Amino acid sequence: MIAFWNYGCALLLSAQYGMQPILTRRFGSRVASHTLILAAELSKVITGLVSIISSPELRHRFFSEFSLRESLKTAGMPAAVYAIHVILTRRAILNLGPTAFQVLNQTKLLWTAMFSYLILGKKQTFHQMIALGILFLSALILAVGEAEAAMTAGVSLFSGVLPAAMAALLSAFAGTLCEVALKKRGKNVLTYSAELGAFTALSILPVAYMTGGARATSMATMLTSGWDLKAVIPVLTNLLGGVLSGVVTKMHGATAKAKAAVAGMVLCAMVETLLSGELPTLRVWVTLPLVASGMILHEWA
């Protein structure tokens, strides 16, 4: 039963990874970027607080063990990194096709392996190094193609490819830090998700100001503009993804979370094709099997 639950969470996380770029692009594009991110993070805080209030055991453990210094150490740094990551991710999703974004996003496995070695001391086998090389090659092929397409369409390289690549690196770094908190320090998934949400929301505000999004309009307009019932959908799926990500990271580690994205990538390509009626580009079709084979080789190595 426990094994079924663990693999079920991994499958749901894959589905969330695959659908999140499409849902964000279709339903959340009219909402101010930083407002959508703030709503997603605050929803994690509310979920965590409800869990603490509704569970006497969890409430006792949280209040007896909570330390602001410890929370800053385990959740503050990953949240600051994650705040920049989610802004770059949204920028990339809105300027790249969902499938292209997903393929570029798989380079997080390469960075996760690197940070797992540097921070946790986890070494990669020879076959795993080959798998990581395949992932890097596939990302390079797609990045060159997307860069050419962006320049042809008059879109800056800094609007799509580079934000996606940087978001993957930051996601891997934050994921490794979260693994340390969840596995080595024994943090509860829901309360830790709430801590991350709170610190990320606080981190978003100065980042929003520095990137100019908050200065372009009044605060009231930024918080309310573009919202409707459909815009809530990507917020809820992002909340689900945050909880599932914590469960998978705690049970299997940050690398397993990165591996879960391969099924989501394939799902994203299929759904995007059905919705748009257009097939992904040739470069995407070439890189999809490369990424899938690299992920599978890394899993079985």
Side-chain angles (χ1 to χ4, degrees):
M1 184 65 183
I2 295 177
F4 176 79
W5 164 254
N6 291 342
Y7 284 110
C9 288
L11 287 172
L12 285 174
L13 182 61
S14 296
Q16 189 270 335
Y17 275 149
M19 293 302 298
Q20 191 65 40
I22 295 173
L23 294 174
T24 300
R25 192 180 179 97
R26 288 180 68 87
F27 302 131
S29 59
R30 294 194 301 113
V31 181
S33 176
H34 306 98
T35 307
L36 197 67
I37 296 167
L38 280 171
E41 298 310 314
L42 289 175
S43 66
K44 296 176 186 177
V45 177
I46 293 171
T47 302
L49 290 175
V50 170
S51 302
I52 293 170
I53 294 171
S54 60
S55 171
E57 181 182 349
L58 190 58
R59 184 169 62 249
H60 173 74
R61 179 183 175 184
F62 177 78
F63 286 110
S64 63
E65 297 180 358
F66 180 78
S67 164
L68 182 58
R69 178 179 296 181
E70 179 71 9
S71 184
L72 283 169
K73 185 186 298 182
T74 57
M77 183 181 292
V81 174
Y82 186 66
I84 302 173
H85 156 261
V86 291
I87 290 175
L88 291 174
T89 295
R90 178 169 166 81
R91 185 177 180 86
I93 288 173
L94 294 178
N95 290 285
L96 285 176
T99 305
F101 167 77
Q102 286 285 22
V103 174
L104 280 173
N105 194 44
Q106 301 320 306
T107 56
K108 73 169 65 175
L109 182 58
L110 177 66
W111 301 118
T112 299
M114 183 186 76
F115 288 124
S116 292
Y117 174 73
L118 294 175
I119 297 174
L120 299 173
K122 291 184 178 179
K123 296 182 179 180
Q124 301 289 308
T125 66
F126 176 72
H127 290 91
Q128 286 176 325
M129 293 297 291
I130 294 177
L132 294 174
I134 293 173
L135 288 173
F136 179 77
L137 175 63
S138 62
L140 185 63
I141 292 172
L142 186 63
V144 171
E146 291 297 325
E148 291 175 353
M151 287 185 288
T152 302
V155 178
S156 170
L157 184 66
F158 295 92
S159 298
V161 176
L162 290 182
M166 282 301 301
L169 186 150
L170 293 175
S171 175
F173 182 46
T176 306
L177 294 177
C178 290
E179 182 177 352
V180 173
L182 289 167
K183 299 188 75 172
K184 290 197 170 185
R185 297 181 182 270
K187 288 275 191 176
N188 178 272
V189 171
L190 289 174
T191 57
Y192 185 63
S193 179
E195 290 179 56
L196 276 177
F199 283 119
T200 302
L202 290 173
S203 301
I204 288 290
L205 296 176
V207 173
Y209 180 80
M210 287 186 292
T211 54
R215 288 177 290 176
T217 185
S218 68
M219 183 63 71
T221 302
M222 187 184 76
L223 291 175
T224 58
S225 177
W227 280 100
D228 55 24
L229 287 177
K230 290 181 180 179
V232 178
I233 295 174
V235 174
L236 294 178
T237 54
N238 187 72
L239 168 62
L240 175 64
V243 175
L244 291 172
S245 177
V247 172
V248 172
T249 299
K250 187 165 187 173
M251 295 299 174
H252 304 291
T255 306
K257 184 179 74 171
K259 292 173 184 176
V262 66
M265 179 184 62
V266 176
L267 174 65
C268 183
M270 294 171 61
V271 174
E272 184 185 7
T273 300
L274 289 173
L275 291 176
S276 65
E278 298 178 0
L279 293 175
T281 64
L282 178 61
R283 286 181 185 270
V284 171
W285 284 116
V286 170
T287 52
L288 270 173
L290 279 176
V291 171
S293 60
M295 300 280 275
I296 292 170
L297 178 61
H298 194 279
E299 171 71 28
W300 288 349

